[in-house]
Amino acid sequence: MARPRKPLLSTDRIVETARELVDREGLAAVSTRRLAAELGVSGPSLYNHFRTKDEILEAVADSVSGLVDLAMFEDGRDWRTALHDWAVSYRAALRDHPNIVPVLARGPGRRPAALRLADAVYGAMVEAGWPPAQATSIGALMRYFIMGSALGSFAGGFVDDASAYDPTDYPHLGQAHLLAEQQEKIDERAFETGLSALLDGLAQQYEQVRQGVQR
């Protein structure tokens, strides 16, 4: 009886396996040796697809960027709604793959999906009437906000031990030990609060831009 064939090694399979490894164990777990073991192949065979570990991590990062929905910049939504919906999609992708965020935070570099993302945001803002310099700033601002929200949980950073919050030292943290158990709800609400405030501020600037154009 013929032995079952191993799945053909491909770039997509390497990236998917590396992403799963990063999700489970973090960036430090990734090495060509470990990845080869996960794939059931010899280490040198990976070099037919990627020259270095860093190239693999860049590809993993780009695969996560590729999960972000960009349809809102093409289907007629106004710029504010599009930015909101894109930010929610972007944060969802990062929330599902938080361990790769430090690589994504380096910027798009030469990653195709990340560059398409940047191009879509910038292009939509310019088309909506934002001056190019401000469109660039908006892209940067949104990236700072979304990346920052994905780097760690605010609520999850508080221990669930009430004794850690002595009222003598911390008179306003009497309920802080309850934050961790409501982590998702609190973090989601904080993200939406910050996003709404950010977009409200941009809307005010946009009106000033439009008034300047009309004069």
Side-chain angles (χ1 to χ4, degrees):
M1 183 175 178
R3 297 176 63 185
R5 295 179 59 188
K6 292 182 179 178
L8 186 66
L9 189 62
S10 67
T11 298
D12 288 345
R13 185 172 168 233
I14 294 170
V15 171
E16 181 180 356
T17 302
R19 186 173 62 228
E20 292 171 353
L21 181 58
V22 171
D23 287 344
R24 287 197 317 267
E25 302 181 34
L27 294 172
V30 180
S31 67
T32 52
R33 178 179 296 181
R34 175 69 186 281
L35 193 52
E38 293 278 330
L39 289 161
V41 300
S42 62
S45 63
L46 296 179
Y47 297 122
N48 293 323
H49 301 271
F50 295 98
R51 293 174 297 177
T52 65
K53 166 187 167 179
D54 284 344
E55 283 191 0
I56 295 172
L57 291 177
E58 286 287 309
V60 170
D62 210 39
S63 74
V64 173
S65 293
L67 299 175
V68 182
D69 186 13
L70 299 177
M72 64 284 297
F73 297 119
E74 301 173 352
D75 62 10
R77 273 173 262 191
D78 65 272
W79 69 266
R80 177 179 172 143
T81 302
L83 274 185
H84 175 277
D85 296 348
W86 167 71
V88 170
S89 177
Y90 199 171
R91 181 172 181 267
L94 301 187
R95 184 187 58 217
D96 291 342
H97 304 281
N99 292 334
I100 199 64
V101 171
V103 179
L104 285 163
R106 299 172 190 166
R110 296 178 180 273
R111 292 185 244 117
L115 289 171
R116 283 193 294 272
L117 187 154
D119 180 74
V121 175
Y122 176 80
M125 295 305 101
V126 171
E127 187 173 337
W130 286 98
Q134 286 178 277
T136 299
S137 295
I138 290 171
L141 171 64
M142 296 298 291
R143 181 170 167 271
Y144 296 151
F145 177 70
I146 298 165
M147 290 282 181
S149 74
L151 284 173
S153 165
F154 171 80
F158 291 85
V159 298
D160 60 359
D161 178 4
S163 67
Y165 309 100
D166 188 322
T168 302
D169 296 321
Y170 316 110
H172 306 296
L173 296 182
Q175 301 297 308
H177 63 288
L178 302 175
L179 292 175
E181 68 183 36
Q182 302 181 59
Q183 175 179 329
E184 183 174 351
K185 178 181 178 181
I186 292 170
D187 289 346
E188 287 290 337
R189 188 170 62 214
F191 179 77
E192 280 293 342
T193 298
L195 181 58
S196 293
L198 188 156
L199 294 173
D200 284 346
L202 287 176
Q204 291 182 10
Q205 291 186 31
Y206 185 71
E207 287 305 311
Q208 295 172 3
V209 168
R210 301 307 298 164
Q211 289 173 13
V213 170
Q214 293 169 4
R215 286 174 185 164

